DNA sequence: AGTAAGTGGGTGCAAAATCAACTAAATATG
DNA sequence: CATATTTAGTTGATTTTGCACCCACTTACT
């Protein structure tokens, strides 16, 4: 149900097609959520028949018709309701930590490899986030909306950086 | 399918019942994964009919019979296979970041409340992790297995600590 | 001219995860 | 004495997610 709220949030910024929503998920939302195309279209349909959004078909000259989804007042209310609702702090799930937890079953060199591979990937993710942040840095402090959006990216950056430090510590002290 | 591997990992440490597995998930695994009771029992059944585990019914005097699950060689192989497999770095999902991302829809005081409530919860989670770590600290450096298990807890601690810092920064600079 | 990539929208299916209840006996707590 | 909690496991229904396809048309690349 988080996905439904996130979509409402995006529709709150501007009316959009499922296709555009997917692009937003892949570009600006990817540091804290990801969503499958099919899931997006299905959730959109649900939002419409719950009355949280409406659809308008907009014809285009060259490209396919846009099924433009607009948030309704009920949708806006649902969004605000979710936003102020203390969200149960669901346990973060990290498959990689599962691997580390049981990695003692592996020979030493495989453990080292597991960790250093992860380090490379984490660094790559961090670099990606850092380059994303470059495009917004200046104007971020300006209005509250941009500030908060940028803040979530900063969070992701801090998390990745903390993981790098942790990886280095583990690799150094592993008996 | 991460759950299946995690269960295999635990069965690799000792034969166990579904009930005991659930307790392990709630106590020592909770900082990076959580699992529903029903899901554990169903996954156990799958493991058995894939040949990754076997069941032995052990009668007890006062309590219900134990369905003790033992890992097989095939199971151990499957576990090791997963452990050394570079696991696709699935995007971490964090509903709270979704709330922050769209929090500008809320009045200022509600945003402050959202953040400070989160701060309290994060601090509580951190304290829980810190107290968990106290029980293992000394012997952790000893063998590799304990070290790695403790390391995942350290990771969670670092993540929570980083989040606290981030929350403070956001609360301080929010326009 | 042919092939890829982009725009836009879907369907079908299976696995994974969640919620809620239900059984049943023992032991601990008030 | 009554009520919770612990031990142990199970069932059903529903949701969420992921993967793999499919359509049709347009623009860009080579």
């Amino acid at each position: 149900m988080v996905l439904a709220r996130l979509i409402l949030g995006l529709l709150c910024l501007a009316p959009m097609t499922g296709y555009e929503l997917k692009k937003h998920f892949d570009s600006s939302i990817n540091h804290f959520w990801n969503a499958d195309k099919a899931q997006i279209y299905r959730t959109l349909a649900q939002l419409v028949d719950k009355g949280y959004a409406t659809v308008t078909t907009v014809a285009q000259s060259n490209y396919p018709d846009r099924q433009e989804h607009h948030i309704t007042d009920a949708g806006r209310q649902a969004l605000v309701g979710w936003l102020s609702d203390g969200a149960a702090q669901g346990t973060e799930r990290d498959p990689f930590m599962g691997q580390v937890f049981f990695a003692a079953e592996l020979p030493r060199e495989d453990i080292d490899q597991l960790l250093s591979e992860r380090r490379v990937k984490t660094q790559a993710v961090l670099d990606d986030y850092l380059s994303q942040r470059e495009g917004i840095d200046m104007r971020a402090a300006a209005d509250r909306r941009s500030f908060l959006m940028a803040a979530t990216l900063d969070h992701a950056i801090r998390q990745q950086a903390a993981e790098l430090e942790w990886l280095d510590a583990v690799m150094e002290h592993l008996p």
Side-chain angles (χ1 to χ4, degrees), chain A:
Chain A
M1 290 279 336
V2 178
L3 183 63
R5 311 302 154 173
L6 294 178
I7 289 176
L8 281 179
L10 287 171
L11 293 183
C12 198
L13 303 178
M16 255 180 271
T17 66
Y19 186 79
E20 287 169 324
L21 283 166
K22 173 61 175 160
K23 285 201 295 185
H24 274 89
F25 272 92
D26 290 345
S27 58
S28 27
I29 308 288
N30 67 97
H31 58 280
F32 67 87
W33 206 267
N34 67 329
D36 187 73
K37 200 166 97 100
Q39 209 189 329
I40 289 173
Y41 282 110
R42 279 170 187 143
T43 305
L44 266 178
Q46 283 172 35
L47 289 176
V48 170
D49 64 46
K50 270 183 200 157
Y52 292 164
T54 52
V55 206
T56 326
T57 303
V58 179
Q60 291 180 116
S61 47
N62 292 334
Y63 289 105
D65 291 359
R66 298 164 46 75
Q67 300 290 314
E68 222 172 53
H69 290 74
H70 300 252
I71 192 169
T72 62
D73 285 339
R76 229 172 248 106
Q77 274 172 43
L79 174 64
V80 169
W82 174 67
L83 287 177
S84 43
D85 160 56
Q89 204 102 350
T91 310
E92 350 278 336
R93 293 181 159 196
D94 193 340
F96 175 68
M97 287 305 136
Q99 293 181 311
V100 174
F101 195 84
F102 296 114
E105 307 302 322
L106 294 175
R108 172 63 194 250
E109 61 268 25
D110 288 14
I111 301 178
D112 291 335
Q113 209 206 326
L114 184 71
L115 294 169
S116 59
E117 266 180 31
R118 175 72 172 196
R119 205 193 181 286
V120 171
K121 285 185 202 157
T122 302
Q123 183 69 60
V125 171
L126 176 58
D127 290 345
D128 176 43
Y129 291 166
L130 285 171
S131 78
Q132 279 186 49
R133 203 185 56 173
E134 274 171 31
I136 41 172
D137 237 353
M138 334 270 89
R139 300 170 296 284
D143 68 309
R144 190 174 295 164
R145 183 176 310 215
S146 309
F147 175 86
L148 286 166
M149 288 177 174
T152 64
L153 187 53
D154 283 335
H155 179 263
I157 288 170
R158 280 177 192 254
Q159 296 292 313
Q160 298 299 314
E163 179 156 329
L164 278 187
E165 283 172 41
W166 173 81
L167 281 167
D168 289 336
V170 172
M171 289 194 279
E172 195 188 346
H173 297 111
L174 180 65

